[in-house]
Amino acid sequence: MKEHTIFKRETLVKQLEENSNWDVIVIGGGATGLGVALDSITRGYKTLLLEQVDFAKGTSSRSTKLVHGGVRYLAQGNIDLVKEALYERGLLLKNASHLVSNQSFIIPNYNWWDNLKYTIGLKIYDALAGKLSFGKSTRISKKETLKRLSTIKNGKLKGGVVYHDGQFDDSRLAVNIAQTCIEHGATALNHFKVKQLLKNDRGAVNGVVAEDAETRKTYALNAKVIINATGVFTDEILKMDNAEAKDIVRPSQGIHLVIDKSFLPGNDAIMIPKTNDGRVLFLVPWHNKIVVGTTDTLLDSHSLEPKALDAEVDFIIATANNYLTKTLAKEDVLSIFAGLRPLAAPKDKSEKTKEISRSHKIIVSDSDLITITGGKWTTYRRMAQDTINKAIFIGKLPKLACETKAIKIHGAIIPIEIKSHQNVYGSDEKLIQNLIKEQPELGVQLHKSLPFTKAEVVWAIRNEMARTIEDVLARRVRTLFLDAKATLEIIPIVAKILSEELNKDTIWEQQQIEEFKSIANQYVL
């Protein structure tokens, strides 16, 4: 497997040791930071990305798994944001076809007026997508709605409206973008924390001091431009730049419950456009399970492992039960995950989170530090383009054109006809199959109720920069998000593979087990 040595940590760290001068240093390895690094390297700038924990550890692995224009932003009249997102959705389907798929959604309607309103609204949604449309929206009868959504309550059902949007695996896409950056010549390192910003004698930011979380070795690295793409951690970097900086981000928490496919057995997702507090709720098929969410709760603080609030859990269960004939109870929840959206801090107390703009903002500090915040997964590429354009505009980089519209993400191939849980690997799928042919014991399933094999764990460590049990089971092989209890049972198996692959001792292995157990327990309701 010689061709994948470029993803080895030793190779990447060596690049840091050999280069102290860069054109662009990106802080943050979520969707936004990875997008910026890919845009930067493919234009031809020497690019380094540093992520304090793991790619997509934060918000970017905790989404509703949708690549979408945002039907609800349309209702708020935010046409530009929707149009931009629909365009980007179309590009994502072309450039990451192994991870993004066309998903049909049904809005069940319980009065005629809603039926008409959503039919018209979704025709506008279709029109805004233009030639990158995922399919026309249509009205369907009550009978057809009940046939396609066999667990929906009949009651006063009048019919439904079907529309199309995208569905994807968020952290797998992040890992594949990191690989794409490296394949194009960037250096992208996870478990590497920026501790300090460096400045020249005029007070302009011109570098960072970063620490390798594994060796505790620090590096002073210089760059023409530093980009802060740290999501809910944005303010911490801004305070490194200027201790007096005001907070510009207010975290809003969204939680999701993962439940068995039997609650929604068909191929369609459900979109509930108006819950009793005005939020949208989705029930979306994902990896042969159903993801239900999301909530929108303003918080005063942020953390790497946000916890779902009881009130949020109760809200999702109660809302789902208003629509489903099969009663959902807490014990049916296979996994629960919470994510934080980095929203622009509200100007005053009256501003509701759903009214705070979801479009991205680029801020240039007096020190020339560039900060990109807001936005959403679907528009990650456009956010990156705007960020690098801003660096050119302020004279930090020579002008070179953006190339990312046509750049294929690592693994991108038209999905193979044979349906397998390994289709998410795209062109790497056959390489994983080869691993199993070479070592048949790697074909063993990790858990009887999950399809994943030992081969995928080995692959994640050798080729996808996974360094911890959490990296593997949360963001490469998505068991933590699919079935937290089953995940707790397979921790020792994964710890063993990891310590063998990374040449670690039993003390390290034990420490890993304890650390991951405490995280995994938070995903069990």
Side-chain angles (χ1 to χ4, degrees), residues 289-300:
K289 302 277 189 274
I290 301 296
V291 175
V292 192
T294 178
T295 54
D296 208 343
T297 313
L298 265 184
L299 300 182
D300 290 319

Side-chain angles (χ1 to χ4, degrees), residues 8 10 439 441-442 454 457-458 461-462 466-467 469 491-510 512:
K8 288 211 175 313
E10 303 73 56
Q439 294 172 268
E441 68 277 13
L442 294 181
K454 289 182 176 181
V457 176
V458 171
I461 302 160
R462 289 184 192 170
R467 307 295 297 174
I469 302 174
I491 293 173
I493 305 168
V494 176
K496 186 114 215 86
I497 298 172
L498 200 62
S499 70
E500 281 170 11
E501 287 288 324
L502 298 181
N503 229 345
K504 303 288 188 184
D505 58 18
T506 47
I507 298 166
W508 181 89
E509 199 178 315
Q510 218 33 59
Q512 270 291 306

Side-chain angles (χ1 to χ4, degrees), residues 198-211:
L198 300 172
K199 295 186 178 183
N200 64 17
D201 46 16
R202 295 191 317 282
V205 170
N206 67 349
V208 302
V209 174
E211 181 183 78

Side-chain angles (χ1 to χ4, degrees), residues 39-54:
D39 187 295
S40 173
I41 192 67
T42 52
R43 291 194 204 213
Y45 307 120
K46 192 174 166 192
T47 306
L48 168 67
L49 177 140
L50 301 170
E51 159 55 45
Q52 62 170 336
V53 185
D54 182 29

Side-chain angles (χ1 to χ4, degrees), residues 149 157 252 302 307 367 373 384 428 520:
L149 303 175
L157 187 72
S252 155
H302 60 269
K307 290 183 183 62
S367 65
T373 184
D428 285 343

